[in-house]
Amino acid sequence: MSVSISGKTTVVGVIGDPVSHTLSPPMHNAAFSQLGIDWVYVPFHVRPEFVGAAVRSIPALGLKGFNVTVPHKVAVMEHLDEIDREAQLIGAVNTVVHERGRLIGYNTDGRGFLRSLQRQGGRTVAGANVLILGAGGAAKAIACSAALAGAGRLVIANRTFDKANDLAHMVNEQTGVPADAVELDGSCRVGSRLAEALGEADIVVQTTSVGMYPRHDVPPIVDVTRLKREAFVCDIVYRPRETSLIRAAKTHGCDVLTGEGMLAYQGAIALELWTGLDAPDELMLQTLINLLAAEAAAV
Ligand code: NAP
């Protein structure tokens, strides 16, 4: 795929540090090409001390917007004119839209996960008992979006219990959805609160970095035999595509969802916010799957 750039090309991109590993440029540029629009998506390596300057340059340079990746998702917020409710709740922004000089922040990570759950998994969180493993940035986004989408109950399990507790409190207070915290201690012993939460979960979402390449050769983060066989198990780690948790859950008889859908669909929702068009999200997903397969074959 080649991108042709003219004086009329609309520019969007991603800011991050590092940014060299990002798969978003080929994914978005394939989408622009499919839509037949004169847009281009480029990576910008922005160090933390330049976040403010980079954001202020957006209206000056006439960019339509940008994605924000690690470690700038929180720092970028103080430089924006407006932040939508979901992003405020999550406390982080991954997409900025430039509207006639105003910069508006959104967070599409949680909604990207929910779209993946629905399109690829055929499930919704509505009324479901959702167990989230982890309480970092991705967990926060998924917990908030799941609560806003009508989850019945959330349980947050994290190695650092206080972070799980803070997230559960915040979700409960801000959305009214019942939310509890448990310690993610790895033992999953019978009678523990974690074993109980595993046994009650309709949907499990693994959001910790455990199982991520290059430290992917690790046991599953929880004992999947504590799950109901009809529980639906998601792992948002996408390098590798199939983690040890996903393999174990399949062996236990559970249906599963891997992490590349969340990445593709958070990008698709960002593209929709910038362009106002429906994203060719299946093409974006397939582009991402091909890139991940090529990456895996190269190691
Ligand atoms: P983060 O904010 O740094 O949070 C990391 C989480 O992992 C915390 O809950 C942390 O627990 C936990 N953790 C780390 N090492 C652990 C260990 N050895 N045992 C138990 N828990 C451990 O990171 P993040 O941004 O949320 O990202 C987390 C993962 O999600 C990464 O693998 C990332 O690639 C993936 N991700 C995927 C997508 C997607 O689109 N598919 C999007 C975002 C992130 P403590 O609080 O106890 O430290």
Side-chain angles (χ1 to χ4, degrees):
M1 185 214 49
S2 68
V3 178
S4 102
I5 297 172
S6 75
K8 294 182 194 147
T9 304
T10 301
V11 181
V12 289
V14 55
I15 64 167
D17 178 28
V19 82
S20 56
H21 62 288
T22 180
L23 300 175
S24 294
M27 184 177 79
H28 280 275
N29 288 322
F32 295 149
S33 178
Q34 167 89 8
L35 287 168
I37 57 175
D38 186 11
W39 286 54
V40 67
Y41 186 108
V42 288
F44 296 104
H45 183 190
V46 174
R47 291 186 212 290
E49 63 270 30
F50 293 124
V51 168
V55 174
R56 282 191 297 277
S57 73
I58 303 302
L61 295 173
L63 271 62
K64 181 59 193 170
F66 54 95
N67 283 135
V68 185
T69 189
V70 178
H72 304 323
K73 290 184 181 186
V74 177
V76 78
M77 295 175 79
E78 65 175 287
H79 305 288
L80 304 177
D81 299 301
E82 194 181 321
I83 295 170
D84 98 321
R85 174 165 185 247
E86 192 169 11
Q88 275 181 33
L89 210 56
I90 295 167
V93 159
N94 81 333
T95 302
V96 174
V97 179
H98 171 206
E99 296 281 4
R100 288 185 227 93
R102 285 179 63 74
L103 298 175
I104 305 160
Y106 298 88
N107 194 312
T108 67
D109 281 332
R111 274 185 289 149
F113 171 75
L114 295 181
R115 191 181 282 194
S116 167
L117 185 68
Q118 201 226 322
R119 300 262 169 98
Q120 298 174 281
R123 306 284 208 284
T124 77
V125 292
N129 193 335
V130 181
L131 170 62
I132 297 178
L133 308 176
K140 211 168 175 188
I142 291 171
C144 292
S145 300
L148 293 176
R153 178 183 176 227
L154 295 180
V155 179
I156 317 288
N158 196 45
R159 175 179 63 178
T160 309
F161 176 76
D162 285 353
K163 278 170 67 182
N165 208 26
D166 289 349
L167 179 52
H169 265 283
M170 186 276 279
V171 167
N172 183 239
E173 218 164 71
Q174 297 292 325
T175 69
V177 173
D180 297 307
V182 301
E183 195 174 333
L184 182 55
D185 62 3
S187 71
C188 301
R189 63 192 177 279
V190 180
S192 70
R193 291 188 64 210
L194 179 58
E196 202 176 287
L198 286 163
E200 289 171 357
D202 302 314
I203 298 173
V204 180
V205 194
Q206 196 307 110
T207 74
T208 77
S209 42
V210 174
M212 191 168 107
Y213 183 83
R215 298 179 63 194
H216 55 294
D217 206 5
V218 292
I221 190 163
V222 289
D223 177 359
V224 295
T225 65
R226 301 260 174 259
L227 295 168
K228 300 183 278 198
R229 284 186 210 281
E230 56 279 14
F232 189 70
V233 179
C234 318
D235 196 332
I236 69 161
V237 169
Y238 53 85
R239 283 181 175 115
R241 269 191 79 193
E242 195 162 271
T243 60
S244 59
L245 176 74
I246 289 291
R247 285 197 302 275
K250 275 163 69 170
T251 304
H252 184 56
C254 296
D255 287 336
V256 299
L257 180 67
T258 51
E260 71 285 346
M262 173 175 171
L263 186 61
Y265 293 132
Q266 63 74 32
I269 297 166
L271 183 148
E272 289 168 359
L273 288 167
W274 293 322
T275 65
L277 302 171
D278 286 340
D281 45 13
E282 298 317 309
L283 171 95
M284 294 175 82
L285 176 60
Q286 199 49 54
T287 304
L288 195 58
I289 289 171
N290 295 345
L291 289 165
L292 289 167
E295 232 185 47
V299 291

